[in-house]
Amino acid sequence: MKKRISLIILALAAAFLLTSCGIMPDAGDGSDGVMLTIMGKESDLKKSYMTRIFRQYETATGNKLELIAIEDSEFENAASEKFANGEAPDIFMHFNNADLRRFDVENNFYYLNDEEWVSDLTDGADSYCRDRAGNLLGLPFWESSVSGCYYNKTLLDSLGLKPASNQAEFDVLCAALSATGYTPICWPADGCSWMAQFGLDPLFADDPTLLERLNNNEIAYADIPEVTDMVQWIADAADKGWLGSDYLDKGWSDISPMMSSGEAVMTFIWDTWFYTDFEKGNKYSVDDFALMPVFLNTAPDGTYEGGNLNMMMVNKNGAHLRETLDFLAFCASEENYNVAFDGISTESCFKGETSNIRSKMVTDASASVAEKSRVSTAVSGIVGYSADDVAEALNAMLRKKTDVQGCVRLMDEYRVARAVGQ
């Protein structure tokens, strides 16, 4: 009897040690597993590489993932409310930009500096995810794409037109396309907010002193002539019909139909979009598109933007901290991320990432990209910058509620108010 009791005690002790060391038996059908919550934008959580890694994890571990998908245009405000109400998820997906300051990073999130997978991050991905003190804020499980002006080369060829190499040529191209009945630029003003940052990047990437002066409140947008030049160009483009007739009602879901049907000829977006969101089966396929710089009247020879990376951030106050860190380790495994990114057009975020591809569009424009690419600067560098705020100011102008100067004033007011609040 004593021997039997001793064996039971040993078995219980072994089970306790396995649990405390983080070694758990296979959860099998999930009945003994945990449920981790992941909060992100609706469109982000639907990316093919995200759904792949989610499915891999659930199959391999028996654990479950509850996705808290928030409509894109409402994300920052809705997510902030959930955090304020004590509804923070185990994993929060966010970019390292000014809006992140709304979520009290130091008190809410676990710094990932000492995780084993950190050494596998590429230098660029690692740098993007660090705060000013050098702490690693999240796992960059995302696409590292090239943003520019993607255009329908097949359609241009049929019209005897060529892509532009400078702002003047781009304006002529837009005028020619408009005259033939095409929408030159798909500008999805309803809920999409990234376009203006492409025009702002060159100003601050090329002149760090200008960025420092803006952040120190020594100057405002209104004191930078090129900002007004950009806003004026957008206003003029809208008035000339270069953005189409109903661009204020076009949103994320409208980009693919407009581009694949040939209704619109160009759009300011990133290469990975063609492999994750571009709908097949219409008149034009990805093979019909090519890449040239974005022209928004701030860089005469145009510009491209480097990748912005969505980070998986860990709630350090969550009930499943250890399991959440294990989930990140699962995602950061070479075996797993190569399945997730298989066939996806993106630059690598991991040194062992080999299953991804580089799009022909980017490869064909590689010389131009190398010459005219800028690091994403407006989003990550301007204190108080919010893409949604800029879009709101621009839309006020486009709806004729204010003029160009009023739009720039609004951009400044929103920026300063958000900076003060952060």
Side-chain angles (χ1 to χ4, degrees):
M1 177 64 107
K2 289 182 178 180
K3 182 177 180 180
R4 183 179 177 186
I5 292 174
S6 298
L7 289 173
I8 292 172
I9 292 173
L10 287 172
L12 290 172
F16 174 79
L17 287 172
L18 284 172
T19 302
S20 63
C21 291
I23 303 173
M24 293 291 291
D26 191 299
D29 62 3
S31 58
D32 298 323
V34 299
M35 175 77 78
L36 299 180
T37 53
I38 304 178
M39 182 185 295
K41 288 184 178 180
E42 184 176 20
S43 65
D44 291 348
L45 293 173
K46 289 181 179 178
K47 299 293 186 187
S48 59
Y49 45 85
M50 299 306 302
T51 57
R52 286 179 191 173
I53 199 66
F54 296 157
R55 188 163 53 246
Q56 286 173 254
Y57 173 76
E58 290 187 330
T59 300
T61 67
N63 294 335
K64 298 299 180 183
L65 300 172
E66 179 185 354
L67 305 184
I68 304 171
I70 299 175
E71 200 279 320
D72 289 21
S73 64
E74 301 173 1
F75 178 73
E76 301 298 346
N77 290 332
S80 296
E81 289 181 7
K82 287 184 178 295
F83 272 76
N85 294 333
E87 301 174 38
D90 295 305
I91 298 162
F92 184 53
M93 293 185 61
H94 204 285
F95 293 86
N96 191 8
N97 56 27
D99 280 321
L100 185 58
R101 298 185 181 96
R102 302 170 65 171
F103 296 93
D104 192 4
V105 172
E106 183 177 358
N107 290 315
N108 282 325
F109 298 105
Y110 185 90
Y111 293 144
L112 301 166
N113 307 340
D114 299 324
E115 297 303 296
E116 291 185 3
W117 45 261
V118 174
S119 61
D120 190 36
L121 296 178
T122 60
D123 291 343
D126 183 285
S127 297
Y128 178 88
C129 296
R130 301 274 177 177
D131 64 13
R132 293 180 181 177
N135 295 306
L136 189 69
L137 302 179
L139 173 69
F141 198 89
W142 200 243
E143 61 202 49
S144 184
S145 46
V146 177
S147 295
C149 178
Y150 288 84
Y151 67 95
N152 190 324
K153 63 181 180 181
T154 302
L155 205 157
L156 284 193
D157 287 344
S158 71
L159 297 172
L161 299 172
K162 296 181 179 180
S165 60
N166 56 53
Q167 184 71 53
E169 291 180 0
F170 186 74
D171 291 355
V172 170
L173 176 60
C174 288
L177 289 170
S178 183
T180 58
Y182 290 96
T183 296
I185 305 168
C186 174
W187 184 277
D190 184 14
C192 297
S193 58
W194 62 79
M195 295 82 78
Q197 72 195 50
F198 299 154
L200 294 174
D201 279 343
L203 306 181
F204 303 107
D206 296 355
D207 188 354
T209 302
L210 190 68
L211 178 62
E212 184 178 357
R213 293 178 64 203
L214 182 71
N215 285 339
N216 289 337
N217 291 320
E218 297 172 18
I219 58 172
Y221 285 139
D223 300 312
I224 305 172
E226 293 88 348
V227 174
T228 299
D229 291 344
M230 179 187 74
V231 175
Q232 183 68 63
W233 187 90
I234 294 171
D236 291 344
D239 289 342
K240 295 173 182 175
W242 294 357
L243 309 183
S245 59
D246 54 355
Y247 63 94
L248 287 167
D249 297 320
K250 297 295 186 183
W252 174 262
S253 61
D254 298 301
I255 306 173
S256 184
M258 291 185 69
M259 299 304 295
S260 62
S261 67
E263 177 185 348
V265 183
M266 303 179 286
T267 195
F268 300 158
I269 207 159
W270 42 93
D271 59 309
T272 310
W273 175 85
F274 283 90
Y275 298 87
T276 58
D277 296 273
F278 185 74
E279 298 172 3
K280 299 177 182 178
N282 213 326
K283 184 174 182 179
Y284 296 103
S285 72
V286 63
D287 295 329
D288 293 301
F289 290 86
L291 171 63
M292 64 175 150
V294 166
F295 296 100
L296 280 171
N297 209 30
T298 59
D301 295 328
T303 186
Y304 303 95
E305 185 185 69
N308 288 283
L309 305 177
N310 213 341
M311 305 179 296
M312 291 184 183
M313 303 178 67
V314 174
N315 178 3
K316 70 178 182 181
N317 305 309
H320 303 295
L321 177 59
R322 180 180 60 80
E323 291 87 353
T324 304
L325 292 173
D326 288 344
F327 171 75
L328 262 62
F330 181 92
C331 295
S333 164
E334 182 175 338
E335 177 183 0
N336 295 326
Y337 61 64
N338 272 315
V339 172
F341 286 98
D342 184 28
I344 299 296
S345 174
T346 176
E347 302 297 313
S348 299
C349 287
F350 301 96
K351 294 174 183 175
E353 191 172 340
T354 58
S355 62
N356 55 307
I357 61 174
R358 199 178 193 204
S359 75
K360 188 175 186 299
M361 295 177 287
V362 173
T363 301
D364 288 347
S366 58
S368 177
V369 171
E371 178 187 358
K372 301 172 183 178
S373 184
R374 272 88 172 183
V375 175
S376 178
T377 305
V379 171
S380 59
I382 299 174
V383 175
Y385 185 88
S386 165
D388 290 338
D389 287 348
V390 173
E392 184 174 342
L394 286 171
N395 284 357
M397 176 191 68
L398 294 170
R399 294 182 187 278
K400 307 302 182 184
K401 295 179 179 179
T402 188
D403 58 11
V404 169
Q405 287 70 34
C407 176
V408 176
R409 282 196 301 272
L410 280 175
M411 289 170 59
D412 271 321
E413 290 173 8
Y414 293 152
R415 174 184 59 83
V416 171
R418 195 174 290 274
V420 171
Q422 293 166 354

